[in-house]
Amino acid sequence: MSANIGPRGVAVPTQLWLGTRQASSNGGTFPVINPATEQMLAEVADATSADWQHALDLADAAQTEWASVPPRRKQEILYEVFTQVTERAQDFADVMTAEMGKPVAEALGEVAYGAEYFRWFAEEAVRIPGRMAAAPAGNGTILVTRDPVGPVLAITPWNFPLAMATRKIAPALAAGCPIIVKPAAETPLTMLLLGEVIANAFRKFGVPEGVVSIVTTTDAAGLSSELMSDPRLRKITFTGSTPVGRLLVKQSAEHLQRASMELGGNAPFVVAADADLDLVLGCALQAKLRNGGQACIAANRFLVDESIAEAFVERLTEHMSGFTLGDGFDEGTKLGPVITATQRDRIATLVEDALAKGATATTGGSVPEGPGYFYPATVLVNLPENSAILSEEIFGPVATVTTFKTLEEGVERANATPFGLAAYGFSENVHTAQYLAQHLKAGMVGINRGAISDPAAPFGGIKASGYGREGGTEGIEEYLSPRYIAWT
């Protein structure tokens, strides 16, 4: 079964992928809604316990054979997936725009970024390290290899429905681990289309059944608790909220499963007095409005030296007021809808709280009439310290601007958060830039840059933003266990 999605009518599977085969579910179906129109796009299979248990059975059965596939062969398979995703870039972009809302141009950017993880980890598959050394005591040889951890469960979010999955799937496969993917119920279609591409590539190379399964369901809690209670599952990788991440970490303790957690953020964007405002404004729009602000590394809090704050706010307001709301398929749309009515209303409540406490909106600040889950690009100034929006992740197109007198004060306030995923700092002075790079406390720091994600770099946070890394040479280590052999 399939649904025709987008203006070009892309045929997208709507059933589960259990290995390279599609399967229906006794759980019925659930709807996928276009957030720009509030119209139903498709109904997809709503998996039950029997479905995800079958996926784990397949993964467990495939583990030994997949782990033994030569690294060069794994490289060829992953590169084939990269090639096929790239060839179907427009199809993937159309599906993402329809189910998630981002403008088509942004969706095409995500396809290129998401596909790159397959190419990057294809290259890493043949570079899994090991070491051999003489034992210091002189009584033999120390040999260290790295083995795949075993079957993996990946739970992915709705905001980047392709890239957040590929950066989990690709390293797992490169390391030799079968993987079960549970996409977000809001945006399952992109993953089901990826399942089709993976199935085609796997059939071409004769990959064993069950190496990748895609299980769509509205019962995420049931799926995770049941699969994680099974000792055959050896790793959980999750991108989402901190409260859910904490719960999954607790669940992983029973069988001591490996866990990678990419959780919430509250990224500061610190602008020193000597920053280049032209550069700052371009990067501010990237860091704030990419994906409509629905990104875990989106700039949440703009902290600006008071000597340039007025000029910064004036120019930021001018730029953000020009971001046209609309359907992502419409020419000229620069800002699509947010994902659901619930998320839109949450953003509105945070803004209303700040305004009620004395903040000022220099642009935006109110919900437009429907249909669609739209919220305008908004700039808030004069925010009281007790505004909830300063401490909570906004996940929407709202920029808060506060000022500081000294750089030390600005950095101290930037770090005054339980989160530590990303931070941004701007200065034209090498010493100031070095200070920002050294003292901003986050897993990722951008200096004079608003776009920091790179498949070749480790993505992840500290503190309440989680642990583990995705991408870079570090990303594959999350799916490998060191093994020590004492050799006489």
Side-chain angles (χ1 to χ4, degrees):
M1 296 175 63
S2 65
N4 294 322
I5 305 300
R8 298 184 311 114
V10 181
V12 180
T14 57
Q15 295 181 309
L16 312 176
W17 284 103
L18 298 178
T20 60
R21 301 173 184 172
Q22 284 213 269
S24 59
S25 173
N26 290 330
T29 62
F30 64 90
V32 182
I33 304 300
N34 182 331
T37 65
E38 302 184 41
Q39 300 298 308
M40 187 176 73
L41 291 167
E43 293 191 65
V44 303
D46 195 355
T48 65
S49 176
D51 300 312
W52 54 71
Q53 291 292 349
H54 183 45
L56 182 56
D57 291 342
L58 289 171
D60 182 58
Q63 175 61 69
T64 300
E65 185 177 354
W66 178 244
S68 67
V69 171
R72 183 66 70 193
R73 190 67 167 173
K74 292 192 185 83
Q75 179 195 46
E76 293 167 351
I77 294 165
L78 286 168
Y79 195 81
E80 178 66 21
V81 178
F82 161 77
T83 300
Q84 290 195 28
V85 171
T86 302
E87 288 173 349
R88 297 193 64 182
Q90 190 64 58
D91 288 349
F92 278 100
D94 284 0
V95 174
M96 275 192 279
T97 294
E99 69 174 345
M100 189 268 154
K102 67 183 72 183
V104 172
E106 279 198 50
L108 285 167
E110 181 180 341
V111 177
Y113 171 62
E116 189 63 26
Y117 280 99
F118 284 109
R119 178 158 64 175
W120 173 262
F121 283 108
E123 296 161 348
E124 290 298 291
V126 297
R127 295 184 177 87
I128 295 174
R131 72 181 176 95
M132 183 173 69
N139 60 347
T141 299
I142 295 170
L143 179 64
V144 181
T145 63
R146 284 172 170 78
D147 292 348
V149 298
V152 175
L153 170 61
I155 301 175
T156 62
W158 50 261
N159 57 335
F160 291 93
L162 181 68
M164 298 302 97
T166 61
R167 69 187 193 188
K168 300 177 188 300
I169 298 169
L173 297 181
C177 302
I179 185 167
I180 301 164
V181 184
K182 202 294 290 182
E186 294 86 353
T187 56
L189 298 173
T190 301
M191 267 307 305
L192 292 172
L193 183 60
L194 180 62
E196 180 177 276
V197 167
I198 291 173
N200 289 337
F202 279 15
R203 292 189 198 105
K204 180 177 179 179
F205 284 87
V207 173
E209 281 297 324
V211 172
V212 175
S213 290
I214 298 168
V215 181
T216 54
T217 183
T218 55
D219 186 12
L223 176 144
S224 61
S225 63
E226 286 190 28
L227 290 182
M228 293 176 73
S229 68
D230 192 317
R232 295 177 299 171
L233 188 79
R234 297 313 310 149
K235 177 175 173 63
I236 171 74
T237 173
F238 171 73
T239 298
S241 72
T242 297
V244 174
R246 288 192 173 108
L247 176 62
L248 293 173
V249 170
K250 290 178 181 178
Q251 290 177 185
S252 73
E254 180 184 0
H255 294 297
L256 298 178
Q257 289 145 339
R258 289 272 290 274
S260 299
M261 295 287 134
E262 197 265 278
L263 308 178
N266 191 5
F269 189 105
V270 181
V271 184
D274 58 6
D276 177 346
L277 275 187
D278 289 332
L279 173 65
V280 168
L281 265 295
C283 292
L285 296 175
Q286 279 185 314
K288 177 69 264 182
L289 292 182
R290 182 191 302 109
N291 212 45
Q294 299 173 113
C296 51
I297 61 171
N300 246 30
R301 297 169 294 137
F302 289 84
L303 298 104
V304 185
D305 187 284
E306 62 180 13
S307 66
I308 59 170
E310 184 176 349
F312 173 80
V313 169
E314 181 179 343
R315 295 182 62 181
L316 181 64
T317 299
E318 179 183 358
H319 283 289
M320 288 186 63
S321 62
F323 269 69
T324 307
L325 284 169
D327 189 313
F329 288 111
D330 292 344
E331 187 176 349
T333 291
K334 297 181 70 175
L335 183 61
V338 296
I339 189 65
T340 62
T342 300
Q343 176 62 11
R344 178 201 59 201
D345 295 344
R346 178 184 169 276
I347 296 166
T349 297
L350 288 171
V351 172
E352 290 161 6
D353 169 76
L355 295 174
K357 290 174 178 174
T360 302
T362 60
T363 187
S366 60
V367 177
E369 293 184 4
Y373 311 131
F374 291 97
Y375 199 86
T378 298
V379 178
L380 297 179
V381 298
N382 303 322
L383 290 112
E385 290 185 7
N386 64 345
S387 299
I389 201 167
L390 293 178
S391 59
E392 295 188 24
E393 188 172 24
I394 302 169
F395 236 64
V398 181
T400 66
V401 184
T402 59
T403 63
F404 58 83
K405 295 181 182 295
T406 67
L407 188 65
E408 291 76 13
E409 176 198 350
V411 169
E412 182 180 1
R413 288 173 52 198
N415 293 335
T417 171
F419 299 100
L421 186 58
Y424 305 86
F426 290 80
S427 171
E428 291 298 291
N429 180 289
V430 65
H431 300 293
T432 303
Q434 186 177 32
Y435 181 88
L436 290 166
Q438 182 177 354
H439 290 90
L440 288 172
K441 301 303 180 186
M444 300 173 286
V445 178
I447 299 299
N448 293 329
R449 284 186 60 177
I452 59 176
S453 297
D454 191 318
F459 190 107
I462 59 175
K463 302 190 292 183
S465 292
Y467 52 79
R469 294 296 182 267
E470 297 181 317
T473 57
E474 297 81 2
I476 200 168
E477 294 288 346
E478 301 289 329
Y479 301 87
L480 296 167
S481 292
R483 184 167 178 257
Y484 159 50
I485 301 169
W487 201 281
T488 301

